[in-house]
Amino acid sequence: MLRQWSVQASGEPEPEPAGEELWEQEMERLCSSQEPVRVLPYAMVDKRFIRQLREPEGVKTSCWQQWRRRQQTAGRRLGEAARRLARGCGLWEGALYEIGGLFGTGIQSYFTFLRFLLLLNLLTLLLTTSFVLLPLTWLRPPDRGPALNFTLQCPGGHQPQTGVPKFNNLLWNVLTGRAFNNTYLFYGAYRAGPESSSIYSIRLAYLLSPLACLLLCFCGILRQMVKGLPQKMFLGQDYRSPLSAKVFSSWDFCIQGQEAATIKKHEISNEFKVELEEGRHLLMVQHQTRAQRACHLLTYLRVNILIGLLVVGAISAIFWATKYSQDNKEESLFLLLQYLPPGVIALVNFLGPLLFVFLVQLENYPPNTEVNLTLIWCVVLKLASLGMFSFSLGQTLLCFGRNKTSCESYGYNACDYQCWENSVGVELYKLSIFNFLLTVAFTFLVSLPRRLLVERFSGRFWAWLDREEFLLPKNVLDIVEGQTVTWMGLFYCPLLPLLNSIFVFLTFYIKKYTLLRNSRASPRPFRASSTIFFFQLVLILGLLLAAVPLGYVVSSIRSSWDCGLFTNYSAPWQVVPELVALRLPPPSQRILHYLGSHAFSFPLLILLSLVLTVCVSQSQASARAIRGLRKQLVWQVQEKWHLVDDLSRLISEPGSGDSLGPESPHSRGDLDSPGATYSVLSHLQPVEKRRRTAQRNSPHLMGHTGDGWRRVVRVRQ
């Protein structure tokens, strides 16, 4: 303790100057430091002693300092209470802890990802409700009124039609979205009066809400992506955490319950499996011959070419299924054709990950790389499928690559679709519903019977079949697909985040049941650090896929003349210049025009280039500093071992005046006394002081002074 050290130092007849100097420097640092006493790495008695040094008796502090200290204490206690409340009320904390202990952090990261998606959907729903639905309900939009007098020139006397045959069944109408055509679920039910007669612009709020939601989701995903960066990116590819640290410091001695202890044992066991698997693969790669590397390269090329061909075939199947479904609306099988595109997409997404997992395993990668590669190929398949689905819808509704009279006159296929925004919203609604129903059906109609049959029967076939393995890429693919569809439908189906929130909430419990009851643990566990990063990367790609078509539609596509908020505008974005001209004074208008001109864009581009250069330079400097700190850490560890070696040699020296041999009980008693310990430390302090002086004078030799330090100590001895 500090007070005992001070008494020992003052009780010595002739204290060493170096020890006295170090003691005075430490006391001055502690007294002048503004760091709170409670965070200092000392015992409670030492903290009271430091407080007495900072506030001597008889010296009164000012009222301002007392008030400031009370405010800091109150704020700190309030923050701690808020954090404890957040941890206690955290969603699915107990379930996540159980899953992480039983199946490892890699599987746990999937369920943490589900919780993050639920929060994103709730945030999106909150923004849409606050800025669109509540003001729209408060302002009471006008009635639809008489229909606009448009004469459509359709070929062959073809008149506009809804394209949906009569089929009065409530369940079917709910599944296809027809039951909600006139509700706020879809774009066509939103109406508003002229902009000049309203205080609050519903049109502007409806237009900017999806863009703001996408921007906030992008910032949230980017933040999680930075937090989930693998540790090896900062410490280098050759860095591996020591296994001894996990052996001696993994157990939590605060655990009291048997269930918590069992989960903790499984968690530590999974960590050991991951470390040993990575070490085994590293040794195998280091001992590969040139012939083995050439065979591995050929296998890599062959597998990836085959996967690329499968992706191209899947995209072609989705394109033709969507085209056939939209071109045969008047046939008797239209009730089944409505779900043909979602069915083909679901089939592709079911078979694709299974084939990708089998093919990627042929390349013999470590578990983390295998999961990430499979995830990347699955995401390429999913995003390409959704992109082709969107393109085929645009080709049918907006006549991309087609020559139609209605498209030339109105900018979209007005003869077949009076409200094309509702048609897009219905397709995305059906896709979201179908994905969730497929998840439920696969869980209770495939996984559950398979588990029951494996438990009921015995034999080689049933032992080979076994329970299904919880495939992380396939499950991540499903939820990323649902989230991407939700982002794509923010403009056409504003309440789709509400449905997706319900689906994500139920999916968590369905997948938890599947994992704990119907699945088996993966024989090759993996870390969560790299998988979390790739989850967020995949989500950003889905966000970009949703944002690009939305930006094109908002800025360039003619709105429907029969429904929605933008019937009198050539494009939804045209409401922004109109509101700027109506609501803002001329100086503000000139400022906005300048911000949108090339005169502002070029300086902004130069400024962003400079900022990017500075960030890259700081990143490189940080990387160099990290490498230097790694070398310093290794050097300090070696130095501590050398000091321990020197200390043991000094203690065991025969004929030493201040320390006897370890054979004598009296010597052990004298060694345990404070005076003996102080004398040994004082003997080493001048050497330590000399070493620090040399380090300050030659900082460039920091990583190479280990041998010189040993020579200095040996010369002194």
Side-chain angles (χ1 to χ4, degrees):
M1 295 182 185
L2 291 176
R3 291 196 301 175
Q4 293 177 356
W5 293 344
S6 62
V7 172
Q8 293 166 8
S10 61
E12 289 291 331
E14 294 181 359
E16 292 286 341
E20 192 69 27
E21 181 183 355
L22 291 175
W23 170 254
E24 291 177 357
Q25 291 177 0
E26 182 68 14
M27 289 298 100
E28 289 178 0
R29 187 187 68 83
L30 291 176
C31 292
S32 61
S33 176
Q34 299 294 329
E35 192 175 6
V37 178
R38 60 173 299 168
V39 301
L40 294 176
Y42 295 112
M44 188 61 66
V45 178
D46 299 332
K47 291 180 180 180
R48 295 195 185 103
F49 178 62
I50 295 172
R51 188 181 297 277
Q52 291 177 5
L53 292 177
R54 290 184 179 181
E55 302 175 3
E57 296 182 359
V59 179
K60 295 183 178 179
T61 57
S62 62
C63 298
W64 166 254
Q65 292 178 348
Q66 293 179 0
W67 179 83
R68 184 180 177 183
R69 186 179 302 161
R70 286 196 298 267
Q71 294 298 321
Q72 291 177 352
T73 303
R76 185 173 59 251
R77 291 177 179 174
L78 182 61
E80 291 177 355
R83 284 190 291 269
R84 286 196 301 269
L85 181 62
R87 286 194 298 266
C89 300
L91 186 62
W92 302 325
E93 288 290 343
L96 291 174
Y97 178 76
E98 181 183 5
I99 292 171
L102 296 177
F103 297 94
T105 56
I107 300 297
Q108 183 189 21
S109 62
Y110 165 75
F111 291 89
T112 307
F113 188 54
L114 275 176
R115 183 174 63 177
F116 175 68
L117 289 183
L118 178 61
L119 296 178
L120 284 184
N121 283 282
L122 293 178
L123 177 62
T124 305
L125 180 63
L126 179 63
L127 289 176
T128 304
T129 305
S130 302
F131 292 100
V132 178
L133 290 179
L134 293 181
L136 192 64
T137 306
W138 177 263
L139 294 176
R140 295 182 180 179
D143 297 332
R144 180 182 295 273
L148 298 177
N149 187 14
F150 278 117
T151 302
L152 296 178
Q153 299 177 359
C154 300
H158 181 71
Q159 295 299 322
Q161 40 113 19
T162 59
V164 179
K166 297 292 183 180
F167 188 74
N168 296 320
N169 184 285
L170 180 60
L171 179 60
W172 183 256
N173 291 338
V174 169
L175 293 178
T176 56
R178 291 178 56 195
F180 308 107
N181 269 336
N182 297 323
T183 63
Y184 285 147
L185 180 62
F186 295 111
Y187 165 86
Y190 292 84
R191 297 183 301 274
E195 293 296 332
S196 58
S197 62
S198 60
I199 301 176
Y200 184 83
S201 177
I202 297 295
R203 291 184 178 88
L204 184 63
Y206 188 92
L207 178 64
L208 296 183
S209 292
L211 303 179
C213 292
L214 292 178
L215 181 61
L216 289 178
C217 291
F218 178 79
C219 295
I221 295 170
L222 197 62
R223 180 174 175 271
Q224 292 292 117
M225 192 174 178
V226 172
K227 289 172 59 178
L229 280 174
Q231 191 181 23
K232 290 186 178 181
M233 289 188 177
F234 299 103
L235 300 178
Q237 296 296 327
D238 56 342
Y239 174 80
R240 295 183 70 245
S241 58
L243 196 61
S244 58
K246 298 184 182 300
V247 173
F248 293 106
S249 63
S250 295
W251 185 255
D252 186 2
F253 290 93
C254 296
I255 294 177
Q256 297 180 357
Q258 181 64 32
E259 182 179 0
T262 304
I263 293 176
K264 188 64 177 179
K265 290 178 182 178
H266 283 286
E267 180 181 353
I268 297 174
S269 174
N270 291 327
E271 288 292 332
F272 288 159
K273 290 178 182 178
V274 171
E275 289 287 345
L276 295 175
E277 179 67 22
E278 290 182 352
R280 183 193 66 82
H281 187 270
L282 183 62
L283 291 176
M284 185 180 65
V285 171
Q286 291 176 352
H287 291 84
Q288 276 186 345
T289 61
R290 291 185 178 180
Q292 291 175 344
R293 292 176 183 176
C295 293
H296 183 268
L297 180 60
L298 292 176
T299 304
Y300 173 79
L301 294 176
R302 183 169 61 250
V303 167
N304 284 275
I305 290 174
L306 182 57
I307 291 177
L309 293 177
L310 290 176
V311 171
V312 172
I315 293 173
S316 303
I318 292 172
F319 173 76
W320 290 110
T322 307
K323 186 177 181 298
Y324 185 79
S325 173
Q326 296 295 326
D327 291 343
N328 295 274
K329 286 182 171 295
E330 298 180 359
E331 295 186 3
S332 58
L333 295 177
F334 175 68
L335 297 177
L336 298 178
L337 293 178
Q338 280 203 22
Y339 271 93
L340 180 61
V344 174
I345 292 176
L347 181 63
V348 166
N349 293 330
F350 173 72
L351 296 178
L354 299 178
L355 295 175
F356 293 163
V357 168
F358 173 74
L359 293 175
V360 171
Q361 285 179 352
L362 298 177
E363 302 179 33
N364 197 19
Y365 283 114
N368 283 338
T369 308
E370 182 180 310
V371 171
N372 293 333
L373 280 178
T374 308
L375 185 61
I376 288 175
W377 275 115
C378 291
V379 169
V380 168
L381 175 63
K382 170 49 61 182
L383 297 184
S385 303
L386 290 179
M388 184 55 65
F389 177 71
S390 302
F391 176 76
S392 58
L393 280 180
Q395 192 178 41
T396 304
L397 302 176
L398 306 177
C399 305
F400 291 157
R402 292 187 178 185
N403 293 322
K404 283 194 175 183
T405 305
S406 60
C407 293
E408 296 176 358
S409 303
Y410 304 102
Y412 65 97
N413 190 1
C415 291
D416 295 329
Y417 303 95
Q418 291 181 344
C419 188
W420 68 267
E421 291 91 348
N422 267 23
S423 300
V424 175
V426 165
E427 292 296 330
L428 297 176
Y429 170 85
K430 290 190 296 185
L431 191 58
S432 181
I433 290 286
F434 190 81
N435 289 336
F436 177 71
L437 293 180
L438 189 66
T439 300
V440 176
F442 187 81
T443 300
F444 295 103
L445 299 180
V446 177
S447 299
L448 180 60
R450 177 177 176 178
R451 190 256 298 179
L452 295 177
L453 290 174
V454 168
E455 291 179 351
R456 176 66 178 83
F457 299 101
S458 60
R460 292 185 178 180
F461 173 76
W462 301 107
W464 170 81
L465 183 62
D466 203 4
R467 298 184 181 186
E468 67 169 343
E469 183 180 346
F470 193 84
L471 295 177
L472 195 64
K474 177 182 178 301
N475 290 280
V476 172
L477 179 67
D478 293 338
I479 59 175
V480 169
E481 176 196 5
Q483 189 61 46
T484 306
V485 169
T486 301
W487 283 330
M488 293 174 66
L490 285 178
F491 184 78
Y492 317 102
C493 189
L495 294 184
L496 198 57
L498 175 61
L499 294 178
N500 197 45
S501 300
I502 298 173
F503 294 160
V504 170
F505 184 82
L506 296 177
T507 300
F508 182 90
Y509 291 100
I510 293 174
K511 293 298 181 180
K512 179 187 174 184
Y513 172 79
T514 302
L515 179 66
L516 297 178
R517 301 291 183 181
N518 302 333
S519 301
R520 56 183 172 89
S522 175
R524 304 175 67 193
F526 47 89
R527 292 187 194 278
S529 57
S530 59
T531 54
I532 292 175
F533 173 77
F534 274 93
F535 289 171
Q536 307 300 331
L537 178 62
V538 165
L539 205 56
I540 278 191
L541 295 178
L543 181 65
L544 295 178
L545 178 65
V548 171
L550 179 60
Y552 176 73
V553 166
V554 165
S555 60
S556 304
I557 300 300
R558 177 71 168 85
S559 302
S560 298
W561 57 267
D562 192 41
C563 64
L565 294 169
F566 306 99
T567 54
N568 299 323
Y569 295 91
S570 59
W573 188 256
Q574 294 301 318
V575 71
V576 177
E578 179 183 353
L579 286 174
V580 168
L582 287 175
R583 304 290 176 85
L584 294 181
S588 301
Q589 296 181 24
R590 287 194 294 270
I591 292 175
L592 288 179
H593 286 305
Y594 173 73
L595 293 178
S597 63
H598 296 290
F600 177 77
S601 301
F602 288 115
L604 180 63
L605 182 61
I606 295 174
L607 180 62
L608 291 177
S609 301
L610 293 176
V611 171
L612 182 61
T613 303
V614 172
C615 291
V616 171
S617 302
Q618 289 183 349
S619 175
Q620 294 176 354
S622 300
R624 289 193 297 268
I626 289 173
R627 288 194 295 268
L629 290 174
R630 289 173 56 199
K631 293 180 180 178
Q632 184 180 2
L633 181 62
V634 173
W635 172 74
Q636 287 181 351
V637 171
Q638 293 176 353
E639 180 189 16
K640 286 181 174 61
W641 278 109
H642 183 65
L643 286 174
V644 171
D645 187 23
D646 289 341
L647 183 60
S648 62
R649 191 182 301 113
L650 288 173
I651 293 174
S652 60
E653 272 185 358
S656 178
D658 52 356
S659 62
L660 301 175
E663 300 84 8
S664 173
H666 179 70
S667 66
R668 286 195 295 268
D670 292 341
L671 185 62
D672 292 337
S673 64
T677 305
Y678 181 81
S679 63
V680 172
L681 293 178
S682 300
H683 180 74
L684 292 177
Q685 280 171 357
V687 183
E688 173 69 14
K689 183 178 179 181
R690 187 181 307 170
R691 196 268 308 168
R692 291 185 179 179
T693 304
Q695 178 180 339
R696 287 195 299 268
N697 295 333
S698 302
H700 61 281
L701 298 176
M702 181 183 301
H704 307 280
T705 54
D707 297 335
W709 166 235
R710 294 188 182 94
R711 288 195 294 269
V712 169
V713 175
R714 291 194 183 102
V715 168
R716 178 176 176 81
Q717 292 174 354

